[in-house]
């Protein structure tokens, strides 16, 4: 009887300890997007040479960006098998990091996202597209050789994106 009581006591103690322990999530928390500068942006393009690339610049405070983002996610899923690489770059300030995290958690992008390093705005825009004034959303299209072949400023219609994507995928096949 004493052994039985001790055994029950041990089981209850173990159960209590398990319930009192902090619960850990079964999935790892998503990491914050890597910070890139103008040079880091160029490295991204070099890394994806051989694929058609769509780069979208967005911010949490930009309503057209929020409207367009789910469609970009759908396009990334749809055209990934044909080797379209979609990349997102947040232009949010460091003070908007919590909003950016919420944005990404809400939209669950299937493509990588990066954050523009604070400062050097003109140098960064020059590296992306010399006549870009920083308006958002801004999307740039690169062929498989890494050459910029188009851009779209403001929220674009899905049809315009798809037409450009199909042209990119059809040209310069390697």
């Amino acid at each position: 009887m004493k052994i039985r009581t001790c055994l029950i006591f041990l089981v209850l103690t173990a159960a209590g300890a398990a319930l009192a322990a902090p619960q850990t999530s079964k999935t790892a928390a998503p990491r914050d997007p890597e910070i890139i500068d103008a040079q880091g942006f160029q490295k991204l393009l070099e890394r994806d040479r051989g694929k058609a690339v769509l780069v979208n610049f967005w911010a949490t405070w930009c309503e057209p960006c929020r409207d367009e983002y789910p469609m970009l996610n759908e396009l990334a899923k749809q055209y990934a098998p044909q080797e379209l690489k979609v990349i997102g770059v947040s232009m949010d300030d460091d003070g908007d990091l919590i909003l950016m995290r919420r944005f990404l958690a809400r939209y669950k992008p299937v493509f990588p996202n990066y954050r523009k390093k604070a400062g050097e705005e003109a140098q960064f825009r020059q590296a992306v597209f010399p006549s870009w004034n920083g308006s958002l959303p801004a999307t740039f299209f690169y062929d498989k050789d890494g050459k910029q072949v188009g851009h779209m400023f403001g929220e674009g219609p899905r049809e315009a994106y798809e037409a450009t994507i199909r042209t990119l995928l059809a040209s310069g096949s390697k």
Side-chain angles (χ1 to χ4, degrees):
M1 185 72 171
K2 235 180 191 185
I3 294 174
R4 185 183 216 186
T5 304
C6 286
L7 190 56
I8 290 173
F9 175 75
L10 286 173
V11 169
L12 290 175
T13 303
L19 290 174
Q23 299 297 313
T24 57
S25 173
K26 292 186 192 300
T27 59
R31 293 184 349 211
D32 285 341
E34 181 182 332
I35 296 173
I36 59 169
D37 57 8
Q39 189 176 15
F41 177 72
Q42 293 303 322
K43 285 180 183 176
L44 287 177
L45 296 177
E46 302 251 339
R47 183 192 69 202
D48 291 318
R49 194 164 296 227
K51 293 181 180 180
V53 178
L54 178 160
V55 182
N56 177 260
F57 294 88
W58 59 273
T60 58
W61 48 262
C62 167
E63 189 170 335
C65 299
R66 293 190 306 265
D67 292 342
E68 183 178 71
Y69 202 86
M71 184 249 323
L72 292 172
N73 210 23
E74 291 171 10
L75 292 173
K77 288 177 193 173
Q78 180 180 343
Y79 290 101
Q82 289 130 355
E83 296 205 346
L84 173 72
K85 177 76 174 198
V86 176
I87 299 170
V89 179
S90 170
M91 301 295 279
D92 283 306
D93 295 327
D94 289 344
D96 294 327
L97 188 57
I98 291 172
L99 294 173
M100 185 196 60
R101 288 174 182 153
R102 288 181 185 157
F103 181 94
L104 293 172
R106 177 180 181 188
Y107 292 112
K108 297 175 181 45
V110 297
F111 53 88
N113 277 268
Y114 298 85
R115 244 182 345 140
K116 188 196 113 6
K117 181 180 178 182
E120 302 175 354
E121 307 298 324
Q123 181 184 357
F124 187 83
R125 288 193 312 262
Q126 181 74 22
V128 175
F129 187 68
S131 59
W132 178 33
N133 66 5
S135 64
L136 295 176
T139 303
F140 298 91
F141 302 92
Y142 298 84
D143 67 14
K144 294 176 182 180
D145 293 325
K147 179 181 171 205
Q148 190 178 101
V149 294
H151 62 273
M152 194 177 305
F153 296 127
E155 183 179 359
R158 184 181 183 111
E159 299 77 31
Y161 273 98
E162 289 198 273
T164 304
I165 290 168
R166 284 193 298 270
T167 301
L168 272 179
L169 294 172
S171 68
S173 297
K174 289 190 172 191

